[in-house]
Amino acid sequence: MVVNNQIGFTTDPRVARSSPYCTDVAKVVSAPIFHVNADDPEAVLHVCRVATEWRATFGKDVVIDLVCYRRHGHNEMDEPSLTQPLMYKQIKKHEKLVEMYARKLVEGNVVTQEDYEKEKNKYDQICKDAYERAPKIVPFHRDWLDSPWKGVFSDEGTPLEATGAIPSTGISRQRISHIGNVYSSLPDDFEEHRGIKRVLAERRKMLGEEECDWAIGEALAFGSLLEEGVHVRLSGQDVERGTFSHRHHVIHDQKVDRRQYRPLEHISPDQARYTVCNSSLSEFAVLGLRARVLHE
């Protein structure tokens, strides 16, 4: 059973597969595939019964594709409209399933409005009780042994780069300023999300104060390599935006569908190519690519 929530804000279907449906892979074993609207609970129940009967009768594989959506992001801080602005405008306007189905049951005289409110309040209370219990849970702590990487520091703790044992990888303040400014800027006619506006302003502020966070440090590393003619390739399920909304190497126009801007592609006219692309969440695929590169 596939809970097909459109992946709303990570890898787009158009870059994840070549087939119309995520369940098309089941065709290789000739398994029946049921696509069902998850906004229709009774249809979902019917399909589940049919699939169960198929499995019990024939002992063969069967696949259910629950076609639905994800209303919110990974967590309370996540904002899916950063990467899927038009889709999430529609989702915000879409009626919630519990309200939609409750109205259908009330209008059909299956339950009363009071019955619905009673069940809803009962569930809300379960959530509130759990929330109140959460601070009372005592977390388990473990002290992990942390040691410097071998070959990076001397026995005295001095970075080997400072001793001349390994080449210096630093870049000039001028280059830092240029790459940082490119990374924190957009074209004048680009309509970015208000959250992106805030992120870019914070980056410019940090750069002006000669401060650096994880995202800026990463961008400076990639940008300096690109300036030096080194092709940088970044691939993974949510690498364009960054799982924790920290990277934003691909920024989406909020009004024009599929219009994107990639700051690190605009560092210099003769820079190397920067390839950043979302892909399926598959550690085996990454290992396979690595093995192939090593073999070749």
Side-chain angles (χ1 to χ4, degrees):
M1 181 179 288
V2 177
V3 181
N4 185 357
N5 63 16
Q6 315 303 311
I7 321 186
F9 39 89
T10 51
T11 303
D12 285 348
R14 62 178 175 268
V15 297
R17 59 179 183 271
S18 58
S19 59
Y21 298 102
C22 63
T23 50
D24 280 350
V25 66
K27 291 179 178 178
V28 300
V29 293
S30 300
I33 303 169
F34 295 98
H35 304 283
V36 58
N37 179 9
D39 264 354
D40 188 341
E42 293 175 10
V44 172
L45 182 60
H46 174 70
V47 162
C48 288
R49 283 173 173 162
V50 172
T52 303
E53 289 177 14
W54 170 278
R55 177 72 175 181
T57 304
F58 302 108
K60 301 289 186 180
D61 292 329
V62 57
V63 175
I64 298 173
D65 179 21
L66 291 177
V67 182
C68 48
Y69 61 92
R70 190 167 183 172
R71 188 171 291 274
H72 302 292
H74 284 295
N75 52 54
E76 295 84 349
M77 301 298 293
D78 194 74
E79 178 50 75
S81 61
L82 291 173
T83 51
Q84 299 287 352
L86 301 187
M87 176 191 288
Y88 274 84
K89 282 179 183 176
Q90 295 298 319
I91 289 174
K92 284 177 182 177
K93 294 186 289 185
H94 190 69
E95 187 178 12
K96 294 179 180 178
L97 171 57
V98 65
E99 296 169 357
M100 192 187 311
Y101 190 54
R103 190 181 68 254
K104 176 183 177 181
L105 294 178
V106 171
E107 291 174 352
N109 295 319
V110 179
V111 300
T112 65
Q113 184 66 29
E114 290 74 21
D115 291 333
Y116 163 64
E117 294 295 341
K118 181 180 177 182
E119 287 300 315
K120 181 175 180 295
N121 293 336
K122 181 180 174 183
Y123 178 73
D124 287 345
Q125 191 59 49
I126 292 172
C127 294
K128 288 176 183 176
D129 291 343
Y131 180 76
E132 290 172 1
R133 286 197 306 271
K136 300 174 185 176
I137 297 173
V138 179
F140 174 75
H141 293 286
R142 174 183 286 250
D143 294 323
W144 296 98
L145 178 64
D146 188 17
S147 58
W149 291 352
K150 185 178 179 181
V152 175
F153 293 91
S154 66
D155 293 338
E156 295 76 27
T158 307
L160 292 181
E161 184 179 299
T163 67
I166 59 174
S168 172
T169 58
I171 60 175
S172 67
R173 288 176 179 270
Q174 184 179 0
R175 288 179 67 192
I176 289 174
S177 176
H178 172 67
I179 296 169
N181 287 333
V182 170
Y183 181 51
S184 56
S185 303
L186 290 173
D188 293 337
D189 63 342
F190 198 88
E191 189 73 28
E192 71 271 34
H193 189 277
R194 64 181 182 275
I196 294 292
K197 214 171 257 185
R198 187 169 59 251
V199 168
L200 296 182
E202 182 62 26
R203 284 179 186 164
R204 289 191 292 270
K205 179 174 179 289
M206 292 183 69
L207 288 163
E209 297 172 353
E210 296 190 346
E211 295 178 352
C212 181
D213 62 7
W214 181 282
I216 293 175
E218 182 184 63
L220 293 174
F222 290 176
S224 58
L225 287 170
L226 293 168
E227 270 192 323
E228 294 166 8
V230 179
H231 172 211
V232 177
R233 180 181 184 274
L234 198 61
S235 173
Q237 188 184 24
D238 201 12
V239 295
E240 295 180 2
R241 185 196 68 164
T243 304
F244 303 103
S245 294
H246 68 287
R247 184 174 290 126
H248 300 297
H249 285 195
V250 177
I251 301 174
H252 298 256
D253 194 297
Q254 294 296 296
K255 293 186 176 177
V256 183
D257 189 29
R258 300 193 187 188
R259 187 188 183 199
Q260 303 173 342
Y261 185 74
R262 304 174 181 231
L264 291 184
E265 290 183 352
H266 302 275
I267 295 173
S268 67
D270 56 348
Q271 70 173 73
R273 186 159 58 99
Y274 180 42
T275 306
V276 52
C277 52
N278 291 333
S279 59
S280 297
L281 180 58
S282 174
E283 289 83 357
F284 286 119
V286 176
L287 290 171
L289 174 65
R290 177 66 176 160
R292 180 178 176 182
V293 170
L294 290 173
H295 176 72
E296 291 177 349

